[in-house]
Amino acid sequence: KTVAIVGLGGLGHHLARSLAAAGVGRLILIDPDIVELGNLPRQLLYNEQDIGRLKVDVAKEKLGRDYPNCLIEIEPKLFGPKSAELIREASLVLDASDNFLCRHNLNRACVKLGKELIAAAISADSGLLCHTAPWLNPEAGCYECLFPRDSTGSGRCRDMGVLGPAVQTLAAMQSLAAINTLLGERSTLGRLISLDCRTLSMREATLCADPACLCCQTHTQAGHKTQTQFMKGRPELSREENCDAN
């Protein structure tokens, strides 16, 4: 299998090591950033000697040494509107990026190419994980149904603060979802999982497509447009009236 990981920060570097160790045959690692001192408390793949180096270079060197049977390809680029070719050969795409612009560009590329997307994000003491593939589960829609393009986040980890173990916990959940999906078990598809890192508690919701979504409702996949009776609801994921809370 080939897995593309966008973002090699707190979540992404854990994903890369976990999947390489699990036996994934090929990883495509995409991130333009360099290692900084402030990364080290939660990004355990890197150390002080790596400061100033590209994260993808460090990851390729260290993971390639530890897991020689995993082919590791790197792209030191920000995932943008014209980056779809980077994930064309991926069996699964994992979003571990840290800003909405990158996430929306990645979501649009996944919808266009028909790639399953498992996205996760964490800031301060809250984390989210969702798994979307509109052609497999049209009622759930895509990432843009949940967070419209004009959404604003609570900030990056370096600004908001986050504990290393909280990042590791969410990364482990994302890794589990990825491995299960690669093995054909899609139990996370169409679900939103919210992690409260202060209380070690989780909540779950069923995702709902936005009938007016300009992404998954306008793209054609494999020569046909996805059609379904979409559930009514407003697109803002953060409001409970837009999903079925469990």
Side-chain angles (χ1 to χ4, degrees), residues 32-171:
D33 292 343
I34 62 171
V35 179
E36 300 177 0
L37 180 63
N39 299 151
L40 303 187
R42 66 184 182 279
Q43 299 179 23
L44 307 184
L45 184 65
Y46 316 119
N47 56 41
E48 290 189 11
Q49 287 69 44
D50 300 320
I51 292 174
R53 296 183 62 193
L54 284 166
K55 291 181 179 179
V56 290
D57 285 341
V58 178
K60 181 178 177 64
E61 175 185 306
K62 294 185 178 181
L63 297 179
R65 179 189 63 219
D66 295 341
Y67 309 103
N69 292 326
C70 180
L71 175 63
I72 298 175
E73 300 178 8
I74 59 174
E75 291 288 348
K77 299 178 180 178
L78 180 68
F79 198 96
K82 298 181 180 180
S83 301
E85 287 301 317
L86 299 179
I87 63 169
R88 183 174 292 277
E89 297 182 4
S91 311
L92 178 66
V93 179
L94 305 181
D95 181 2
S97 59
D98 63 359
N99 66 86
F100 271 123
L101 179 59
C102 180
R103 293 170 192 158
H104 281 113
N105 288 330
L106 180 59
N107 174 69
R108 290 202 164 199
C110 287
V111 172
K112 180 180 179 180
L113 297 175
K115 305 295 181 182
E116 289 184 67
L117 175 64
I118 301 177
I122 191 166
S123 183
D125 48 27
S126 298
L128 293 174
L129 183 146
C130 65
H131 179 180
T132 57
W135 54 97
L136 296 177
N137 187 350
E139 286 81 7
C142 70
Y143 186 87
E144 193 166 324
C145 292
L146 315 174
F147 289 109
R149 290 185 73 85
D150 59 356
S151 299
T152 57
S154 57
R156 299 186 179 187
C157 289
R158 67 186 181 193
D159 302 317
M160 300 296 294
V162 66
L163 290 175
V167 179
Q168 295 167 38
T169 300
L170 188 63

Side-chain angles (χ1 to χ4, degrees), residues 81 89 96 114 119-120 142 198 200 217:
E89 297 182 4
C142 70
R198 290 180 300 115
L200 296 182
Q217 294 307 295

Side-chain angles (χ1 to χ4, degrees), residues 13-26:
H13 86 283
H14 281 292
L15 294 172
R17 181 177 289 281
S18 176
L19 295 178
V24 170
R26 180 186 179 201

Side-chain angles (χ1 to χ4, degrees), residues 220-225:
T220 299
Q221 173 60 30
H224 67 277
K225 188 172 181 178

